[in-house]
Amino acid sequence: DGGITQSPKYLFRKEGQNVTLSCEQNLNHDAMYWYRQDPGQGLRLIYYSQIVNDFQKGDIAEGYSVSREKKESFPLTVTSAQKNPTAFYLCASSIAWREGLMDEQFFGPGTRLTVL
Amino acid sequence: SQQGEEDPQALSIQEGENATMNCSYKTSINNLQWYRQNSGRGLVHLILIRSNEREKHSGRLRVTLDTSKKSSSLLITASRAADTASYFCAGTTRDAGGTSYGKLTFGQGTILTVHP
């Protein structure tokens, strides 16, 4: 059963704590992405990775960190430096990174993070 | 900044009616994609239209693209209650020099409600 999984579905964090969101895909995709969605808003890109051991900042990377040690996994850490972390976080992947030509992205079910 | 801006922000119709959503964008694009999101879930890819295409069909979906007006529309024919969701357009971002960053930028979405 191929797809993207994110865990946990709901996450609660106290202020000042770091927390890591999991994203795993078994689609053999090279490219992976993290987005943040706030209520009534579209998606904003946090980080993206074109290939293993490489990642780039998106539009709102401050207060977040990622790693891409394995092709299947792209975890996102929300650090205490992120001023307003409560949001819905979506992970996505696409077949390959082709400059200037974006392929369809496949999304995970999302993680809803609430800071208490 | 958002690449796409959807219009209307919300649309309420009866089952069987057609639903039309519009998307305008600011800079040149390579392709434009439409996604659907059910409440609290991940996004699902609906259709991709390339900059050299003017119209594309997929089942009950029809997408048009007018690059001269920097706009696209999504038409859902014979709508069903199950079509109730948010719909987003997303395009690649390019700078004034035409360089593509290979990232998708999403609009804020149109909330479609189809009443049985």
Side-chain angles (χ1 to χ4, degrees):
Chain A
D1 195 21
I4 302 181
T5 57
Q6 290 184 244
S7 62
K9 187 172 182 179
Y10 298 97
L11 188 57
F12 298 90
R13 189 195 90 177
K14 292 182 180 178
E15 278 194 39
Q17 288 182 336
N18 292 356
V19 63
T20 298
L21 281 60
S22 168
C23 177
E24 304 277 332
Q25 54 99 359
N26 61 4
L27 300 168
N28 201 32
H29 286 174
D30 280 325
M32 297 187 74
Y33 315 82
W34 272 107
Y35 294 93
R36 170 186 172 135
Q37 186 178 31
D38 293 283
Q41 301 292 314
L43 278 64
R44 291 185 289 169
L45 184 65
I46 305 172
Y47 266 98
Y48 61 100
S49 170
Q50 301 179 36
I51 201 163
V52 176
N53 293 321
D54 176 77
F55 50 82
Q56 307 292 333
K57 291 182 179 180
D59 299 318
I60 55 165
E62 186 175 350
Y64 300 98
S65 65
V66 294
S67 63
R68 187 84 189 277
E69 297 175 2
K70 297 188 296 181
K71 188 175 185 178
E72 312 81 53
S73 179
F74 191 41
L76 172 74
T77 297
V78 184
T79 75
S80 57
Q82 169 50 233
K83 298 304 179 189
N84 185 21
T86 294
F88 189 48
Y89 291 87
L90 287 158
C91 178
S93 70
S94 61
I95 292 174
W97 183 273
R98 296 192 292 165
E99 188 62 37
L101 199 68
M102 286 305 297
D103 293 305
E104 169 187 356
Q105 292 189 10
F106 293 78
F107 283 81
T111 292
R112 190 166 299 279
L113 173 65
T114 303
V115 174
L116 304 172
Chain B
S1 62
Q2 298 288 349
Q3 172 70 307
E5 294 184 4
E6 287 89 346
D7 170 61
Q9 291 188 336
L11 181 60
S12 182
I13 60 174
Q14 294 296 128
E15 224 171 13
E17 293 180 342
N18 295 344
T20 300
M21 289 159 271
N22 302 297
C23 169
S24 60
Y25 53 93
K26 296 183 174 64
T27 61
S28 297
I29 58 167
N30 291 315
N31 65 48
L32 190 133
Q33 304 181 35
W34 284 89
Y35 288 81
R36 166 197 168 121
Q37 183 181 34
N38 287 78
S39 181
R41 308 288 292 274
L43 276 69
V44 175
H45 183 266
L46 295 176
I47 198 164
L48 182 154
I49 186 164
R50 303 203 183 280
S51 59
N52 61 354
E53 297 176 312
R54 293 295 168 258
E55 188 171 310
K56 203 162 182 179
H57 296 254
S58 177
R60 293 184 296 114
L61 305 180
R62 173 178 164 248
V63 169
T64 62
L65 181 63
D66 187 336
T67 54
S68 66
K69 295 181 180 178
K70 290 186 169 59
S71 68
S72 173
S73 69
L74 171 68
L75 168 67
I76 304 174
T77 60
S79 64
R80 305 166 183 167
D83 294 327
T84 295
S86 294
Y87 292 83
F88 296 90
C89 67
T92 53
T93 304
R94 287 173 123 180
D95 65 15
T99 298
S100 172
Y101 297 108
K103 300 178 293 181
L104 276 182
T105 304
F106 287 79
Q108 294 183 337
T110 292
I111 301 172
L112 173 66
T113 303
V114 181
H115 300 281

